[in-house]
Amino acid sequence: MHFTINGSVHEADPDIRASLLDLLREHVGLTGTKKGCDHGQCGACTILVNGRRINACLTLAVMHQDDDILTIEGIGSADALHPLQAAFVRHDGYQCGYCTPGQICSAVGMLDEVKKGWASHVSADLDSVTLDGLEISERMSGNLCRCSAYPNIVDAISEVASA
């Protein structure tokens, strides 16, 4: 099977029951995406598939052969940080760092949703979304941080959103 991951085609032959997370980590060697709960409750495995954020632990790899898969490794590099990565560093939004790849992938997807005008549960105006702290917190609620760096994560996302 072939998979387009971070703009490159990867050949792999995973078990048909393998999750997309297991494909990334065990067959392709991309270990930036973390395995947290393996039940879709923590968001550590959040990646982007066709521009939409998903929990990689909850979907089968075989379902994504023709999709565009983007992981933290494709978002930026040590030499060229994505603006969200740089903001997380400036605002200390990572502490232990385990949840950070999922947080950043989720934030990239979330900012795209806002750009498209998608409202959330807490959006006061369905026609014009204001990305305040409450809105960011709601949209990022699927990504848990055991270190409780939430204020710093919200600050980092706010900085990039307002740029």
Side-chain angles (χ1 to χ4, degrees), residues 59-110:
T59 187
L60 296 174
V62 297
M63 297 169 62
H64 299 285
Q65 290 185 78
D66 296 321
D67 292 338
D68 181 26
I69 301 165
L70 184 64
T71 70
I72 191 67
E73 290 92 346
I75 288 180
S77 68
D79 297 330
L81 294 178
H82 183 280
L84 276 165
Q85 291 171 314
F88 267 64
V89 171
R90 276 192 300 281
H91 292 277
D92 192 27
Y94 53 87
Q95 294 191 21
C96 85
Y98 196 83
C99 72
T100 305
Q103 295 275 0
I104 290 173
C105 286
S106 188
V108 167
M110 184 263 301

Side-chain angles (χ1 to χ4, degrees), residues 117-137:
W118 296 358
S120 79
H121 176 70
V122 298
S123 298
D125 183 351
L126 299 180
D127 295 320
S128 177
V129 176
T130 302
L131 201 56
D132 58 15
L134 180 63
E135 188 77 32
I136 292 171
S137 294

Side-chain angles (χ1 to χ4, degrees), residues 23-37:
L23 170 89
L24 294 170
R25 294 183 59 80
E26 297 172 16
H27 296 275
V28 182
L30 296 174
T31 57
T33 305
K34 304 301 184 214
K35 183 177 276 201
C37 66

